[in-house]
Amino acid sequence: MRLQKFLARAGAASRRGSENLMTAGRVTVNGEVVTELGSKVDPLVDEVAVDGRVVRLADGPVTLMLHKPAGYVTTMSDPQGRPTVAELVPAAEHPGLFPIGRLDRDTTGLLLFSTDGELGHALLRPRGHVEKVYTALVEGRPSAAQLEHLREGIELDDGPTLPARVALVEGEAAAAALAVLDVPPAAPEGASRQYARACSARTRDRSIVRIGLHEGRKRQVRRMLAAIGHPVLALHRDAFGPVELGGLPRGERRVLEPAEVQALERAAGR
C-alpha cells in the first residue's frame, strides 16, 4: 500500500496532510525516515510512525460530529487568534482529526470531523458532492418565482449553481426552525455586523428557508439567497448527507455510530 494512503486510512492525517508529513520528514518506516511520495509499505509487516508515534490500521479512523456555535472559524489553528473549532473537539486524543468541509464563522450546526482522509476526500469531491441541508433566516419573503429560480439553478459570480432543493418553512415548523437557529436578542461579543443585524431582526419582516445543496462553494447559501434579494440573517446546517444533527446541544460533539459512518461511505460512493 502507498505510504500516504496507509497514513490516511490509519487516521494520521488527510491524504494531502499525509504527503506533507512525509515531505517534512516526520514519518518513519521501520525506524527509517521516508520522504519519497509513492513509497510503499506492508501494513502487516512494516512499523510506521509519525513523530515517533506508531500508527496502525487496527487503530481505525474516528469520525465525529460537532454542533458548531456561532463565532468559531472552521480551522484547526488561526494566526489571527480567533476562536477555532479545534477548541471544541478532542484533537489531542485523535491525531490527524480534521474538519470535513467548513462552516463560516457565523453559521451554526452540523460540522463533521474525521481522521479518515479518504472519507473526507470522497464526501467533498467536486463532482458528486453529498447533499447538505441548511435552514436560513432571511430578510423579507421570497416569492414562488424566486424559489423556483433557485431550484433551477442561479447564476453567481463564479458560474451557475446546480439545481437546489428549496422550500419555505411556515407555521409550527417555522417556530421550531427559529428555535434551532437560536438567534439571541443581542449579538455576542465579536460577532459580525451581519449577525448583529440578525439578532435585532427577530421581530421584523423575515422568513425561514430550507435549502439542500450538492455543491460546496464558499458562502454559497448566503450568496444564492442574496442574489434573489433576500439576504441571510442567520444560517444553520441540519444535515450532511444521511447524517442529521438531531438534538445534539450547541457546542457539544459525539462520535458517529458505525451505521452512520457506513451510511456516509455509501453516500460518498465508497
Side-chain angles (χ1 to χ4, degrees), residues 102 104 156-158 215-224:
R102 59 181 293 121
D104 60 45
L156 298 178
D157 56 6
D158 55 354
E215 298 178 275
R217 304 190 207 178
K218 187 175 181 180
R219 299 176 67 83
Q220 184 172 347
V221 174
R222 296 179 186 275
R223 291 193 291 141
M224 289 175 68

Side-chain angles (χ1 to χ4, degrees), residues 98-180:
F98 66 97
I100 299 176
R102 59 181 293 121
L103 294 176
D104 60 45
R105 185 177 63 173
D106 292 333
T107 300
T108 62
L110 175 59
L111 184 60
L112 293 178
F113 290 77
S114 186
T115 59
D116 186 341
E118 292 193 335
L119 175 62
H121 178 75
L123 289 169
L124 297 176
R125 66 186 187 276
R127 294 182 180 180
H129 255 64
V130 174
E131 186 187 51
K132 294 172 282 292
V133 180
Y134 299 83
T135 298
L137 178 69
V138 303
E139 291 184 359
R141 181 181 177 87
S143 67
Q146 288 173 322
L147 296 179
E148 187 61 27
H149 191 21
L150 295 178
R151 294 187 188 106
E152 294 172 352
I154 191 169
E155 188 72 33
L156 298 178
D157 56 6
D158 55 354
T161 67
L162 293 176
R165 194 161 56 89
V166 188
L168 274 178
V169 182
E170 302 180 282
E172 293 183 3
L178 193 60
V180 167

Side-chain angles (χ1 to χ4, degrees), residues 23 75 261-262 267:
T23 56
T75 181
V261 176
Q262 291 168 10

Side-chain angles (χ1 to χ4, degrees), residues 135 137 169-183 202 206-208 210:
T135 298
L137 178 69
V169 182
E170 302 180 282
E172 293 183 3
L178 193 60
V180 167
L181 286 162
D182 193 27
V183 180
R202 287 184 65 109
R206 77 280 189 275
S207 305
I208 295 176
R210 185 152 291 140

